[in-house]
Amino acid sequence: MTTLDHIEGHVPLLHGLNPLQRIKELNTLGRALTHYGPADLWEMDTASLPAALGHLRRRVRQFAQAHMAPNVRLQDEAEHARPGTLHPVARQLLIKAGRAGFMSNAVPAPLGAASLWDMRFSPAYRMAIQVEEMSAVCAGQMLLLSAHHLGLAPVLLSGDLKAMWRFIRPMHHDFMQGRPHLFAYAITEPTAGSDAEDGHGAHTNRPRVVAKAVPGGYRINGQKCYISGGDVARKVAVFAALEGEGFESWTCFMLDAGNPGMSARRTELKMGMRASSAAELTFEDAFVPEADVIGGLRKGWALNRATLNASRYPVAAMAVGIARRACELALNHALDTRLGGRPLISYQEVQLQLAQMVAETRTIRSLLWQQARGSQQARQSGACISKFMATDRAQAICEMGMALMAEHGTRTATGLEKLLRDIRLTRIFEGTNQINRLGLIEDMQAQLLARMAGEPINISV
């Protein structure tokens, strides 16, 4: 059996004197106050979490390695499926994730898989931990599982207990019984993506999905696009403006997949996250009863904003997971590759690059955990900062890995080129990063306007 002492005695040190040996020269108190041993950074971070969250992190990691890792290439390279078609492997993944509780653990029992004890921690914090572990294995399969939580969010954030009982309890029951019961979230329109999420854009844009009041409910007409899982969901939360009004009248309607007026005309052939579909949904006099209005008429704008502020934390977590995987691939490449008769990692320039990648990955994770930890009431500024910083830096980390691995990184077999394809999407959905930067300033605008009006308000960042 290879021991650390054996390795220390036979493998050339990367940096001269051996700190593991020299630290022993300190007295007992000095050694107690100093740690200079080999460190698994993932284990260190997991140990720093509350016990319940550390257990969650380990459970999700084991699940992702067992049920997602074997099918990364298969799911990424699968033939483009017809709308409404789930790959058999994807269906099995949904069944296993559902039975493990990962499809309903944002909600406490009896509505979902979380315990009341779990609810000590904000859903954003728990989802950030869960999503990172899945994303570090395969961002496409992660999105297949995680976009579902976005579709659930309007029901939860509406605060309507009757709606939660009607829509969420059956979903949880089906998943626990091995029957996939996905939700989807439909806001993006052909002429309104981030414009529909930005106050100025929504004020000046014309809605293309409109709900007309009819006896007993509403008829919806129009088109939504790039809806993650929209073609395979059982329920779709559709945001539509009321007839004759603008985006300020946005209302959330819950449509069943069997609605004869709703159809998935096509799914996009995407650059990244290919295991999850992006559907174009068409509505032709799709009738929705009044009981399926979520949160009340004209409350959709506020509901959408609250949903996005909650979901930006998981998007940041996607980026952290992808960045982490890029670091792992680059580190393994540097250990396994020789240049000039020496391991690549023995060159200080390579070490400097790897150190930068690891440091930036840990920095964005720390930012995310800090912001998500206290987000029982999701704050827009913290959500926006987490999202745009994590996703911007994660793409830079992936590009550093590509530079280090050079031509090896371009090969599909290495996995790094997939990371670069996957990471770009995180900078677009939940509002482009430009919109998220504006969201940060928007969250400060009451103070800014008061200061502009001459009030003696101190603005501190």
Side-chain angles (χ1 to χ4, degrees):
M1 179 177 179
T2 300
T3 65
L4 181 60
D5 289 337
H6 176 83
I7 293 173
E8 289 175 9
H10 293 83
V11 177
L13 292 169
L14 296 179
H15 293 292
L17 293 176
N18 187 342
L20 299 178
Q21 294 293 338
R22 307 305 298 188
I23 204 72
K24 296 176 182 177
E25 297 175 6
L26 295 175
N27 63 25
T28 302
L29 179 59
R31 290 197 301 273
L33 297 174
T34 307
H35 179 76
Y36 210 115
D40 183 312
L41 301 182
W42 188 91
E43 289 288 351
M44 287 174 56
D45 279 345
T46 304
S48 75
L49 291 168
L53 296 182
H55 177 66
L56 172 65
R57 199 178 195 215
R58 293 186 190 282
R59 276 191 66 223
V60 182
R61 188 185 203 187
Q62 291 168 0
F63 177 88
Q65 289 294 335
H67 303 298
M68 296 169 66
N71 299 309
V72 173
R73 290 278 299 277
L74 173 66
Q75 292 284 73
D76 186 56
E77 298 173 5
E79 184 178 349
H80 186 215
R82 298 188 309 277
T85 303
L86 265 176
H87 193 286
V89 170
R91 179 173 292 278
Q92 285 302 308
L93 177 63
L94 285 167
I95 291 171
K96 291 170 182 174
R99 285 179 168 154
F102 296 137
M103 304 304 289
S104 55
N105 61 344
V107 191
L111 296 176
S115 68
L116 290 176
W117 189 243
D118 292 331
M119 300 308 289
R120 293 173 298 155
F121 309 105
S122 74
Y125 196 12
R126 289 183 284 116
M127 284 299 107
I129 289 168
Q130 178 168 309
V131 167
E132 179 192 332
E133 293 309 311
M134 292 181 175
S135 188
V137 172
C138 178
Q141 293 177 79
M142 171 279 304
L143 188 60
L144 172 69
L145 303 179
S146 300
H148 158 77
H149 294 285
L150 183 62
L152 291 176
V155 183
L156 294 171
L157 294 172
S158 72
D160 186 337
L161 295 177
K162 290 183 179 179
M164 294 180 202
W165 188 260
R166 283 184 60 213
F167 292 114
I168 296 179
R169 187 180 62 90
M171 172 276 299
H172 170 60
H173 180 266
D174 280 352
F175 268 119
M176 296 306 292
Q177 295 300 314
R179 297 188 296 268
H181 188 142
L182 290 170
F183 277 59
Y185 188 75
I187 57 171
T188 304
E189 300 176 7
T191 59
S194 291
D195 282 342
E197 301 161 32
D198 171 62
H200 175 75
H203 179 69
T204 57
N205 213 328
R206 183 168 66 89
R208 299 301 178 94
V209 177
V210 174
K212 179 181 179 179
V214 296
Y218 297 83
R219 290 204 177 274
I220 298 178
N221 286 278
Q223 188 179 50
K224 296 287 188 180
C225 57
Y226 302 112
I227 308 306
S228 295
D231 61 316
V232 293
R234 289 266 297 275
K235 300 287 185 182
V236 183
V238 178
F239 286 74
L242 301 182
E243 186 179 40
E245 302 182 43
F247 274 111
E248 70 279 358
S249 72
W250 244 14
T251 299
C252 181
F253 300 89
M254 189 61 71
L255 272 69
D256 188 86
N259 191 310
M262 181 176 71
S263 60
R265 294 294 177 88
R266 65 171 187 158
T267 56
E268 305 294 338
L269 182 59
K270 299 189 297 177
M271 178 175 77
M273 297 195 186
R274 291 167 58 92
S276 173
S277 62
E280 179 182 285
L281 302 179
T282 299
F283 307 93
E284 297 174 322
D285 280 339
F287 177 75
V288 187
E290 290 178 355
D292 291 351
V293 172
I294 304 299
L297 295 177
R298 299 179 181 84
K299 302 296 174 56
W301 175 258
L303 199 53
N304 173 61
R305 181 58 61 94
T307 297
L308 293 178
N309 285 337
S311 65
R312 282 167 175 151
Y313 294 111
V315 174
M318 296 176 196
V320 174
I322 293 171
R324 182 178 113 201
R325 184 57 181 158
C327 289
E328 293 166 353
L329 291 175
L331 278 163
N332 286 326
H333 176 78
L335 288 165
D336 296 339
T337 304
R338 300 185 72 82
L339 179 66
R342 297 162 54 191
L344 195 59
I345 200 169
S346 67
Y347 293 90
Q348 284 193 350
E349 185 170 346
V350 173
Q351 294 172 23
L352 293 173
Q353 185 84 326
L354 289 169
Q356 186 69 25
M357 293 174 66
V358 172
E360 292 207 29
T361 299
R362 293 178 61 74
T363 297
I364 57 177
R365 180 190 291 122
S366 296
L367 169 66
L368 170 60
W369 284 9
Q370 178 196 52
Q371 297 296 328
R373 186 166 50 237
S375 64
Q376 289 288 3
Q377 294 178 311
R379 183 70 189 236
Q380 182 165 299
S381 56
C384 288
I385 289 171
S386 300
K387 195 269 188 186
F388 73 72
M389 284 300 297
T391 58
D392 278 353
R393 295 321 305 160
Q395 180 163 329
I397 291 162
C398 290
E399 289 170 353
M400 291 181 213
M402 181 64 77
L404 191 149
M405 294 177 67
E407 69 275 12
H408 300 282
T410 66
R411 295 173 52 237
T412 302
T414 67
L416 187 60
E417 61 86 29
K418 178 182 182 296
L419 298 182
L420 268 171
R421 290 189 284 111
D422 289 345
I423 191 60
R424 190 61 183 87
L425 181 54
T426 66
R427 298 175 66 199
I428 297 172
F429 54 22
E430 259 66 11
T432 63
N433 282 2
Q434 292 85 351
I435 292 296
N436 276 265
R437 284 176 167 84
L438 294 175
L440 168 60
I441 300 300
E442 182 181 83
D443 212 28
M444 301 168 63
Q445 71 178 353
Q447 285 184 303
L448 298 174
L449 290 172
R451 180 66 176 271
M452 290 169 65
E455 295 183 30
I457 292 177
N458 181 45
I459 297 174
S460 177
V461 297

